[in-house]
């Protein structure tokens, strides 16, 4: 069943094919214990072309996933290119398993532009990081400034406090998947994180490290 966050996201400018993909393919699979869903293009083609043959190429399916990604509904694990087939990639439904506190109406009611002084809410930031698997919660002025500068150049974009924080977390995740040009960083699973002396990982982080290492 759709929750209020999913319904609001699907009410945005999303194609009907993308809505069908989410509601009839992804959502039913999210009921299992595994929070990540594997994309099988063959099954998706059978679903979307049940009466008329509308879609035939893997990149056309990827374009639908890109719509859902931009609407804030999903995250794709690892490195990906929406111009290519996403077959066998893994998907996380970002809003489906969100806690009640993430459904606070104040986080979703008001759409606003980004500002130079924008900062993510700490509690919300930590929760979204946990949802999408961002390991290192530290971010520096360069990472924040890069994000703000990008969206300041798109003044037509207006989003809710939840959406801005979600976009920032995904920005950090995708940035850290790319190999750093310089600096003391260590690779944990698919992500590059700061190497800091004297830091010890707790049990939860060690489990994440093991999980991502097995998947890499």
């Amino acid at each position: 069943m759709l929750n209020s966050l999913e319904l609001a996201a699907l009410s945005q400018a999303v194609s009907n094919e993308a809505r069908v993909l989410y509601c009839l393919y992804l959502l039913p699979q999210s009921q299992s214990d595994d929070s990540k869903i594997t994309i099988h293009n063959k099954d998706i083609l059978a679903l979307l072309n049940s009466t008329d043959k509308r879609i035939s190429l893997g990149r056309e399916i990827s374009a639908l996933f890109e719509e859902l990604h931009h609407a804030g509904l999903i995250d794709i694990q690892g490195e990906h290119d929406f111009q290519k087939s996403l077959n066998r990639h893994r998907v996380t439904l970002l809003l489906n398993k969100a806690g009640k506190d993430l459904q606070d109406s104040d986080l979703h009611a008001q759409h606003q532009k980004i500002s130079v002084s924008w900062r993510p809410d700490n509690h919300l930031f930590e929760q979204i990081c946990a949802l999408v698997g961002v390991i290192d919660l530290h971010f520096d002025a360069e990472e924040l400034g890069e994000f703000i500068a990008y969206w300041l150049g798109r003044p037509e974009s207006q989003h809710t406090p939840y959406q801005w924080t979600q976009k920032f977390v995904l920005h950090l995740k995708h940035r850290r998947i790319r190999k750093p040009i310089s600096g003391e960083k260590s690779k944990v699973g698919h992500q590059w994180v700061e190497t800091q002396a004297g830091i010890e990982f707790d049990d939860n982080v060690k489990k994440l490290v093991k999980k991502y290492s097995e998947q890499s």
Side-chain angles (χ1 to χ4, degrees), residues 118 120-121 124-125 128 160-169:
W118 181 85
D121 175 83
L124 179 59
F125 174 77
I128 297 178
T160 65
Y162 177 91
Q163 290 172 326
W164 280 126
T165 302
Q166 181 194 59
K167 286 180 179 297
F168 180 57
V169 170

Side-chain angles (χ1 to χ4, degrees), residues 149-213:
Y150 176 86
W151 288 105
L152 282 175
R154 290 156 178 78
E156 72 282 0
S157 297
Q158 298 189 39
H159 299 288
T160 65
Y162 177 91
Q163 290 172 326
W164 280 126
T165 302
Q166 181 194 59
K167 286 180 179 297
F168 180 57
V169 170
L170 294 177
H171 163 75
L172 293 178
K173 182 176 182 179
H174 297 154
R175 194 177 192 271
R176 291 169 185 178
I177 288 173
R178 303 193 301 268
K179 187 173 182 178
I181 298 174
S182 61
E184 295 296 325
K185 293 180 181 292
S186 302
K187 193 169 187 180
V188 179
H190 297 291
Q191 298 176 42
W192 292 88
V193 301
E194 294 286 347
T195 301
Q196 300 181 46
I199 290 183
E200 295 183 359
F201 290 156
D202 62 20
D203 289 340
N204 289 332
V205 175
K206 289 178 181 177
K207 290 178 182 177
L208 276 174
V209 170
K210 181 180 179 182
K211 173 183 174 183
Y212 282 107
S213 297

